[in-house]
Amino acid sequence: KNQVEQSPQSLIILEGKNCTLQCNYTVSPFSNLRWYKQDTGRGPVSLTIMTFSENTKSNGRYTATLDADTKQSSLHITASQLSDSASYICVVSAGTGANNLFFGTGTRLTVIP
Amino acid sequence: DGGITQSPKYLFRKEGQNVTLSCEQNLNHDAMYWYRQDPGQGLRLIYYSQIVNDFQKGDIAEGYSVSREKKESFPLTVTSAQKNPTAFYLCASSTGGLAGGPSLETQYFGPGTRLLVL
């Protein structure tokens, strides 16, 4: 069964600290993996996309890693800011077609001053 | 949110009532999608459209209907047959026209509509 699991469910960190969010998947075949940021009450916004051959991709203070062998990805946030408070969603594609996108349940990050 | 708008922000439905959620995009995208988001669950695909006048069912299409008469618009109707409609509804679009579809394209999401049942 194609599944995407994210951990932790929620996380609270102090402003300025780093954190790492995890995404494990059992999706097959694998096409690509995306990380989205979703502010409360808003739609998700794409942060990164990685294909099978890529193992690291950065977008400002956000760095995503991918280990296609172990089917794991992580999103590392450096020097967190209050505006990083959001849900972070991992999405894995199993190939072509809208029905082949599998969404994780997200990690809810809260950054406190 | 890019160039995608959804309205209304909040919508209340009475028992037995059909309600329509609006989604408009000015990104000149061919493909559009409707997702449902419930607490503790990942987004689930309701319907999608790769081109005008054509659409396909997603994983949870029962109790919903759509139309795609214009490239810019993809309204979703929640019918009385949908017994548990309370959720956050997200519309998205992507460029379309590629063999890979949304797998290879970035989806741009609207701000969402929260539907509540009275």
Side-chain angles (χ1 to χ4, degrees), chain B residues 56-114:
Chain B
Q56 288 79 40
K57 293 181 179 180
D59 300 321
I60 56 167
E62 186 174 352
Y64 301 96
S65 66
V66 294
S67 63
R68 188 82 188 279
E69 298 177 0
K70 298 188 301 181
K71 187 175 185 178
E72 304 79 17
S73 179
F74 192 39
L76 173 74
T77 296
V78 183
T79 74
S80 56
Q82 173 49 246
K83 298 307 179 187
N84 184 24
T86 298
F88 189 51
Y89 290 86
L90 287 162
C91 179
S93 70
S94 63
T95 52
L98 297 176
S103 171
L104 301 179
E105 303 162 2
T106 295
Q107 288 180 305
Y108 295 86
F109 286 85
T113 291
R114 188 165 299 280

Side-chain angles (χ1 to χ4, degrees), chain B residues 1-116:
Chain B
D1 299 334
I4 300 183
T5 58
Q6 290 185 243
S7 62
K9 189 173 178 64
Y10 295 96
L11 186 58
F12 298 90
R13 194 191 90 164
K14 297 180 181 178
E15 289 283 340
Q17 186 181 39
N18 293 351
V19 293
T20 298
L21 285 62
S22 171
C23 177
E24 304 277 331
Q25 55 98 0
N26 61 5
L27 300 170
N28 199 33
H29 286 171
D30 284 313
M32 297 186 74
Y33 316 84
W34 274 105
Y35 290 94
R36 170 178 172 146
Q37 188 174 36
D38 294 280
Q41 295 192 41
L43 271 67
R44 291 183 291 169
L45 182 66
I46 304 173
Y47 268 98
Y48 65 101
S49 168
Q50 292 290 98
I51 198 168
V52 175
N53 292 322
D54 187 44
F55 49 82
Q56 288 79 40
K57 293 181 179 180
D59 300 321
I60 56 167
E62 186 174 352
Y64 301 96
S65 66
V66 294
S67 63
R68 188 82 188 279
E69 298 177 0
K70 298 188 301 181
K71 187 175 185 178
E72 304 79 17
S73 179
F74 192 39
L76 173 74
T77 296
V78 183
T79 74
S80 56
Q82 173 49 246
K83 298 307 179 187
N84 184 24
T86 298
F88 189 51
Y89 290 86
L90 287 162
C91 179
S93 70
S94 63
T95 52
L98 297 176
S103 171
L104 301 179
E105 303 162 2
T106 295
Q107 288 180 305
Y108 295 86
F109 286 85
T113 291
R114 188 165 299 280
L115 177 60
L116 301 167

Side-chain angles (χ1 to χ4, degrees), chain A residues 31-32 34 38 41-43 93 95 105, chain B residues 1 37 40 45 102-103 105 110-111:
Chain A
S31 178
N32 58 61
R34 302 168 188 273
Q38 183 177 21
R42 308 286 287 179
S93 170
T105 57
Chain B
D1 299 334
Q37 188 174 36
L45 182 66
S103 171
E105 303 162 2

Side-chain angles (χ1 to χ4, degrees), chain A residues 24-93:
Chain A
N24 296 339
Y25 61 92
T26 57
V27 176
S28 182
F30 175 84
S31 178
N32 58 61
L33 184 147
R34 302 168 188 273
W35 283 95
Y36 281 89
K37 178 186 178 187
Q38 183 177 21
D39 292 319
T40 300
R42 308 286 287 179
V45 175
S46 179
L47 292 175
T48 64
I49 175 173
M50 288 184 291
T51 60
F52 185 87
S53 59
E54 298 173 298
N55 54 26
T56 301
K57 184 161 280 189
S58 292
N59 178 359
R61 295 179 297 102
Y62 301 101
T63 299
T65 65
L66 173 65
D67 186 333
D69 291 332
T70 62
K71 298 188 176 182
Q72 296 179 326
S73 176
S74 65
L75 180 69
H76 186 74
I77 304 175
T78 304
S80 61
Q81 300 176 359
L82 297 179
S83 60
D84 292 330
S85 295
S87 288
Y88 292 85
I89 301 171
C90 176
V91 184
V92 182
S93 170

